[in-house]
Amino acid sequence: MERLTPSYKLYHKALLEIMIHYFKVNDVDTREPQAGNPTDAIKGLDRRLISLIKQQEKEQLRRIKGELVLITKKFYAFDDEAEDLGKGRDHL
């Protein structure tokens, strides 16, 4: 307390009140060991995010890519047909 109060520019009582409020709001019991390491929690979130991205890739992006390939093929086929029609008119 002696070191913390000057760094927060608070009196002992005010700092203690803030600490108690923090523990109540965040549902922290200081008598129990900390359940998880923040680094582990971040790694878990990272794994979940990567899993979500892979799942979206499987379900959405691959289907969209397939549809784009199909559209592109149809466009080029249509473009080739238009060029052939244009060449036929030049010969008349």
Side-chain angles (χ1 to χ4, degrees), residues 14-47:
L15 182 60
L16 188 59
E17 287 174 354
I18 290 171
M19 290 175 161
I20 291 170
H21 177 71
Y22 173 83
F23 295 141
K24 285 183 180 179
V25 168
N26 293 301
D27 197 29
V28 176
D29 186 354
T30 58
R31 296 171 293 185
E32 295 178 11
Q34 190 162 353
N37 183 348
T39 304
D40 293 338
I42 291 171
K43 287 179 184 177
L45 288 173
D46 188 44
R47 284 190 296 272

